Amino acid sequence: MERLQKILQKAGVASRRKAEDLIKAGRVKVNGEVVTVLGSKADFSDEIMVDNKKIKSENKVYYLLYKPEGYVSTTDDQYNRLTVVDLIPVEEKVFPIGRLDYNTSGALILTNDGDFANALMHPKFKLEKQYTVKVSGLVRKETSKLICRGVDLGNFKTQPAKIFDVKYDDKKENTTLTIVITEGKYHQVKRMFAKFDHDVLRLKRDRYGCVDLKGLNKGDYRRLKIHEVKKLWNLSENG
Ligand code: URA
């Protein structure tokens, strides 16, 4: 529930001050009743009319954030750590679709569109997520093959993955590689490598479906283009 003037502002009817004037002048109805009290609350499921015309629901917005390390992927945190929402100071109440760990960086979509978020996170939707991962030790070809075939993580077996661009640092005894997975289970990439005694030292998501980080620096965000939103919707419907 939100203050009526705030709802009118979000719907693009008027500025907050003007919206207050509209309310005081008796020009606003909620579910058929004229409301003149300024503190009144409502939400977008109510039928809200101004001068007997129904207002449009809240604008749906879609952002791509290049999440830096050191932020939690929630809207508020019980330990008062910074959240990804702190990086997107926008009018709409956005939330992240899925999660990146506190120490993971990379592509994260935030929106106020619950249907879109649900569609993208549905398990049947095999959306590709591409990561650059640096792990301890030298990852053997045989290990990569096993990871790509699917790893038994106790409560589930991971879907087939792809690994490429494998680079070894023989001196420091670590490996950097690209992995593409189609799920988003808790700590998934870390657990997949931990199964083979490789600790993840650094993790970055380069791509979420058709959307990558091109042109963004850490901490930057941009609106998704309409064709990107449509493509993600289509992928989810056909996935
Ligand atoms: N896999 C992980 O282990 N962590 C992330 O943040 C994303 C994928």
Side-chain angles (χ1 to χ4, degrees):
M1 298 281 272
E2 255 182 317
R3 282 167 180 265
L4 202 45
Q5 56 266 47
K6 180 95 183 165
I7 293 178
L8 296 176
Q9 181 197 5
K10 277 187 177 175
V13 172
S15 69
R16 189 122 43 124
R17 280 271 304 281
K18 289 229 171 87
E20 287 175 1
D21 292 343
L22 291 173
I23 296 168
K24 283 192 277 186
R27 292 167 62 187
V28 181
K29 277 187 193 162
V30 177
N31 300 327
E33 304 250 328
V34 174
V35 174
T36 50
V37 180
L38 276 186
S40 307
K41 292 191 170 178
D43 67 32
F44 276 103
S45 61
D46 290 313
E47 188 188 67
I48 301 169
M49 294 174 118
V50 175
D51 293 338
N52 293 320
K53 265 174 66 191
K54 233 180 128 188
I55 65 161
K56 280 193 271 149
S57 61
E58 183 178 29
N59 260 349
K60 301 278 191 265
V61 291
Y62 309 86
Y63 292 95
L64 169 67
L65 169 71
Y66 185 163
K67 177 194 175 296
E69 298 88 349
Y71 288 79
V72 282
S73 297
T74 45
T75 47
D76 60 320
D77 180 54
Q78 53 171 327
Y79 305 111
N80 273 334
R81 290 174 296 180
L82 290 166
T83 77
V84 289
V85 172
D86 294 321
L87 292 165
I88 306 197
V90 292
E91 184 62 37
E92 298 84 4
K93 271 204 171 132
V94 294
F95 57 87
I97 301 185
R99 280 173 189 219
L100 287 177
D101 294 337
Y102 184 72
N103 54 2
T104 300
S105 64
L108 186 65
I109 293 179
L110 292 99
T111 183
N112 57 354
D113 185 342
D115 294 336
F116 183 71
N118 286 338
L120 261 58
M121 287 193 295
H122 197 281
K124 75 158 202 236
F125 178 22
K126 297 201 172 62
L127 179 80
E128 286 194 346
K129 289 124 191 152
Q130 182 170 318
Y131 296 87
T132 302
V133 50
K134 183 172 170 182
V135 299
S136 63
L138 304 176
V139 178
R140 298 174 52 190
K141 275 203 184 119
E142 197 49 42
T143 301
S144 284
K145 261 192 209 159
L146 290 173
I147 288 178
C148 289
R149 256 184 237 154
V151 185
D152 186 351
L153 292 181
N155 47 352
F156 80 107
K157 187 176 173 206
T158 60
Q159 290 286 321
K162 290 178 222 159
I163 289 180
F164 48 92
D165 282 348
V166 182
K167 293 184 194 88
Y168 297 108
D169 187 330
D170 295 312
K171 266 200 205 138
K172 293 191 183 147
E173 292 230 346
N174 60 49
T175 309
T176 301
L177 52 83
T178 300
I179 183 166
V180 180
I181 60 173
T182 56
E183 301 146 298
K185 297 273 186 339
Y186 182 67
H187 288 339
Q188 181 159 338
V189 174
K190 291 177 184 163
R191 286 158 70 202
M192 287 165 87
F193 283 95
K195 191 84 191 182
F196 298 92
D197 294 326
H198 294 291
D199 290 331
V200 170
L201 306 174
R202 201 182 315 134
L203 187 59
K204 174 184 164 208
R205 184 153 74 193
D206 300 300
R207 181 168 65 82
Y208 185 86
C210 55
V211 177
D212 66 28
L213 293 169
K214 235 173 266 155
L216 295 183
N217 292 313
K218 261 187 203 172
D220 287 351
Y221 66 92
R222 68 166 173 86
R223 290 284 276 261
L224 283 186
K225 305 200 174 80
I226 290 174
H227 73 86
E228 292 173 319
V229 175
K230 276 193 184 152
K231 195 155 179 194
L232 287 167
W233 262 123
N234 284 342
L235 284 169
S236 78
E237 275 159 14
N238 304 323

